[in-house]
Every structure is written in structure tokens, then in C-alpha cells.
Amino acid sequence: MAAQYSIQGTTAKGIAASVERGVAEGGLRPGDALPPVRRLADALGVSPGTVATAYKELRQRGLVVTRGRGGTVVAEVPSVASRRPPRVPEGLVDLAGGHPDPAFLPVLRPPAELPPSYGSHRAAPRLPDLEALTRDWFVRDGVPAEHVTFAHGALDCIARLLSTELRPGDAVAVEDPGFHHLLDLVPSLGLRLVPVTVDREGLVPESLRAALRGGARAVVCSPRGQCPTGAFFTRARRDALVAVVREFPEVLVVEDDHNAEVGGAAAYTLAAGGLERWAQVRTVSKHLGIDLRWAGVACDPVTLARHDGRMLMTSGWVSHLLQRTVAGLFTDPSVGELVAAGEAAYAERRTALIDALGAYRIRAVGASGFNVWVPVRDESAVVNGLRTHGWWVAAGARFRITAPPAVRITAATLRPEDARRLAADFAEVLGDAQATYGG
């Protein structure tokens, strides 16, 4: 345990609150060990059972993990202190954020008027015209759309689905490397992460099978534009994964198709594979703007009932003002043209960066989406080295569980001529690192 922080309390709740306060304030840091149960019980003058109950509550809430003989330690991503990306230093080119190019985002135009409503919208949470547009959006890519609903974004939807489906301590199979916010979210719900290997075509079937055989009760994945590698399902890979999931019909499969409009890849989705328990969530943040906290969800009827039942008891509905804004953008031909131009530009920029790095024999992947994933030996050396050349890229540690080190470069705003300069600087940094570390 960190020497500067002393756990206090005479009840299980008091002890748990003291540990949570220490984590939130920085007195207890990720990886710090908590005292053994009996030692802390003696120090506080309470029974070992009281301390054990406190530790159990902390585990269920994702603040600590137990490592067998290694004892109980603060989680790497405790639920009270989610990882945030470091602030971009002034004067650097930001290639770390994973954001779209604003040049390809439309100007948001909310409806000029929205008549006052009497009461609440709980009885009719979805606008009929947007619901119809959402069904068409999914059907276009072969996703069954008999049951659709809305959420406040992908993570909002995924959190609601997992919390209604699973219980603290249950396991969730996730991509490794994968979406860093999801890797933070799952432990914060008191759930366990089970890494599944990702290659150029997404989830590796045998790795997924091992995770499900190990007891994972849900799978969260992306069919295209996978963050951070840009992987996407081919038809053959989709079929292989569907075959695996059908061996475990009780498992809930959640697809995050956040790049549906600008991913630059065809849609071969698990949601179209005839699974028993499934949901696909699509957001508009990447192609219409980050302020549109709206997502469309297609799913099986049981999942729909559980999602909407929980939403009914909390936020109730997505703002109708927001829904009208999204519907207007969906039906505006000029917006469609702008989004299509963005998709083409993102593909050109990804390819330009991968080719530029390849000219220096630097291997990189990024077949769809906004990002390029570059395996490296030492993430810190590369990030800091590129910083000296004026570039700010993301260390891969935020996206990995057991996957090898790499850095993520967002190519969405990187023009081809700048990609060549970045590649030259990258090669120089790798050369310096090899000289320093004897590679």
C-alpha cells in the first residue's frame, strides 16, 4: 500500500469509502497493494469479515482486483478515475485524438421551432420519422431492423446493455487492442475484461472461442473501422465468427458500428448472422458531429425490452429536439455528399500514411476508419521522439490488454504530403531508439 495513505473506517462501507477516496484523490494509485485482510482488520480494530466485505464491494465496483497470492490491488483503470488522454502540448500537430476532419462535418441546424410539450415523452420516446430512417439505415447493410430503439451514444447504449444483462464479476470478451473508453467502461461496471486477439480482419475466431469457453457472457466488437487497428470483418471472417457464437447461444453480442458512414469498408456484420442475442449500435458522431449524442440501435426483442426498460427508469428518452436535428441531417442531400467526400478523403489519407511508412519498411495497418496502428518496440521512445519533431501521437498502452506495443496515429486530418514528412521523422526516431536501446 502507498505509505502516504492510511485506510480508515470501522464498518465495511466506511472502509470501502476510505479506499475509494484514496483512489479518487491520488493517495492510492493503480497497482498499489491494499493491506491483507487480517492486517488491516487488526489495525482498524474490526473483524476480518468486515474488511473482507469492504474488499468484495470494491471488487464488484471495479476499484480493486485480486491477484491470488499477489493480494488485492487498485485496478489499473479504477472506476472513479477513468483514463483521460494527455493534453496536447501547444504547437504540436494532434494526431492522437481519433477525431474526424471538421471540413467534412455539416453545420448543425436544429429545427427553428419545437412546440412546447405537455408532460413527458416516455409514452412515445421515438419520433416516427427518425425511427423509419433508422430502420432503413440498418436494412441497407443487411441488419434486421424489426426492433430498433435510440440511445445517447455508443457507450451509453453499451453500458445499459451490459448492466442489464450481466452481474458484477461476470466476464466480457473485448477486442485486444480495442477501444480505450470501452476498456475503461467494462471494469467500472464491476465486470471482467477478457481479451480477444484482433488481426486485419477483426476478432480471431479461435481466440473468441477460448474467451467464450472461459465463461464470457457478452462480446463487444466493431465490424469495421475497428479502433485502434482499422480492422474490418470480411465475409469469410464474419461467417466464422457467427459459427463460433452459435455454439454459445446465451451470449449477448454487441457490435459498435460507429464508422458506418465513413469507415471505407463493406458491412459484413454479426448482427446479420441470425444470432439469438445481439445488438448493433450506430452513432453519428464521426460523420455528423460530436454534439449529436444520439445512437440508433437494432437488436433482438429481449435485448430491446431490457434496454428500453432501464432507459424508461432513468433518462426516459433522447431529446426530441436532438432527434429532429438528426432526422433533418439524414434527409439533406448536401449532407450526404459531404459525408461521402469525407469517406473518400479518409481512405486516401490512411493509404498515403501506410504507404509512406512502408517506404521506410515500417509496418502499419489501417484498412478502414480514421486510424493507423504501428507496432513498435518502445511506445514511450516513439511518442517522445515524434514530439520533438512536432507530432503528437497516442501511445498504444491505452488500447491494449495483452497485445504487443504500438502507437496509434489518427490520419483523418493528415494530408498526403504531410504523411511523407511524418514517415521520415518516424524512421529517424526508430533509428535513434535502436541506437539507444541496442535494437
Side-chain angles (χ1 to χ4, degrees):
M1 183 186 67
Q4 70 270 24
Y5 189 80
S6 177
I7 298 173
Q8 304 295 323
T10 57
T11 65
K13 287 191 176 297
I15 295 167
S18 177
V19 173
E20 181 172 355
R21 188 163 52 251
V23 173
E25 296 175 353
L28 290 170
R29 299 183 179 278
D32 282 348
L34 303 188
V37 169
R38 290 188 178 277
R39 184 191 305 168
L40 184 57
D42 291 342
L44 298 177
V46 301
S47 72
T50 298
V51 176
T53 299
Y55 282 11
K56 179 179 179 181
E57 178 182 339
L58 292 166
R59 283 195 301 272
Q60 290 178 337
R61 293 176 49 226
L63 274 79
V64 303
V65 295
T66 299
R67 294 176 174 170
R69 293 184 179 181
T72 299
V73 302
V74 178
E76 290 301 319
V77 189
S79 58
V80 296
S82 180
R83 291 173 291 187
R84 295 182 182 274
R87 188 181 300 275
V88 181
E90 187 175 351
L92 299 189
V93 178
D94 182 10
L95 302 178
H99 305 306
D101 187 337
F104 299 109
L105 297 177
V107 174
L108 301 183
R109 294 185 174 87
E113 294 182 353
L114 189 67
S117 299
Y118 174 76
S120 79
H121 291 303
R122 277 181 164 82
R126 296 182 292 278
L127 294 179
D129 55 344
L130 183 56
E131 186 169 353
L133 290 166
T134 303
R135 292 183 193 279
D136 292 342
W137 194 20
F138 284 111
V139 169
R140 180 197 71 184
D141 294 324
V143 176
E146 181 180 356
H147 306 283
V148 299
T149 189
F150 301 161
H152 295 95
L155 289 173
D156 170 75
C157 175
I158 293 170
R160 192 172 295 111
L161 292 174
L162 294 180
S163 62
T164 56
E165 187 74 21
L166 309 182
R167 295 293 176 266
D170 285 345
V172 180
V174 297
E175 298 161 327
D176 183 23
F179 183 34
H180 56 297
H181 290 310
L182 177 68
L183 301 187
D184 291 351
L185 172 65
V186 171
S188 77
L189 298 174
L191 306 173
R192 294 185 293 113
L193 293 166
V194 179
V196 177
T197 304
V198 172
D199 65 14
R200 292 172 182 264
E201 297 181 23
L203 296 174
V204 173
E206 285 308 313
S207 184
L208 176 61
R209 180 177 282 110
L212 298 183
R213 284 177 174 170
R217 294 191 55 204
V219 181
V220 183
C221 62
S222 295
R224 51 186 165 182
Q226 194 267 351
C227 178
T229 71
F232 64 90
F233 295 159
T234 60
R235 185 191 300 273
R237 176 59 57 86
R238 187 274 308 277
D239 293 346
L241 291 170
V242 167
V244 170
V245 175
R246 283 179 175 167
E247 299 173 19
F248 306 87
E250 73 285 357
V251 168
L252 173 65
V253 175
V254 181
E255 284 189 305
D256 178 5
D257 195 9
H258 61 285
N259 271 318
E261 296 307 290
V262 289
Y268 296 111
T269 73
L270 303 183
L275 304 179
E276 291 190 27
R277 298 298 316 284
W278 63 277
Q280 185 180 108
V281 54
R282 292 184 174 186
T283 59
V284 295
S285 299
K286 298 298 186 183
H287 70 282
L288 296 182
I290 60 172
D291 279 324
L292 293 173
R293 309 308 300 166
W294 175 88
V297 188
C299 53
D300 68 85
V302 172
T303 299
L304 177 81
R306 292 179 178 179
H307 175 277
D308 283 7
R310 177 65 61 86
M311 193 169 190
L312 183 68
M313 294 183 289
T314 53
S315 59
W317 67 91
V318 177
S319 161
H320 278 202
L321 178 64
L322 183 60
Q323 291 188 43
R324 290 192 184 279
T325 302
V326 174
L329 292 166
F330 270 16
T331 54
D332 186 336
S334 66
V335 172
E337 293 172 1
L338 183 64
V339 171
E343 182 177 37
Y346 299 142
E348 178 187 21
R349 293 170 184 181
R350 283 193 319 270
T351 301
L353 178 57
I354 292 171
D355 290 347
L357 290 168
Y360 291 93
R361 298 185 179 180
I362 300 171
R363 183 172 67 88
V365 295
S368 65
F370 292 166
N371 304 299
V372 171
W373 184 246
V374 190
V376 297
R377 177 181 174 184
D378 187 323
E379 293 178 3
S380 296
V382 172
V383 171
N384 291 327
L386 289 175
R387 177 177 179 174
T388 66
H389 289 275
W391 308 103
W392 187 246
V393 302
R398 295 171 55 209
F399 308 90
R400 300 186 291 108
I401 304 175
T402 61
V407 295
R408 191 192 75 169
I409 304 174
T410 299
T413 57
L414 186 68
R415 299 186 182 279
E417 57 271 22
D418 295 324
R420 292 188 287 272
R421 182 165 60 88
L422 171 59
D425 292 339
F426 204 120
E428 182 177 334
V429 167
L430 291 182
D432 290 342
Q434 288 177 346
T436 300
Y437 297 106

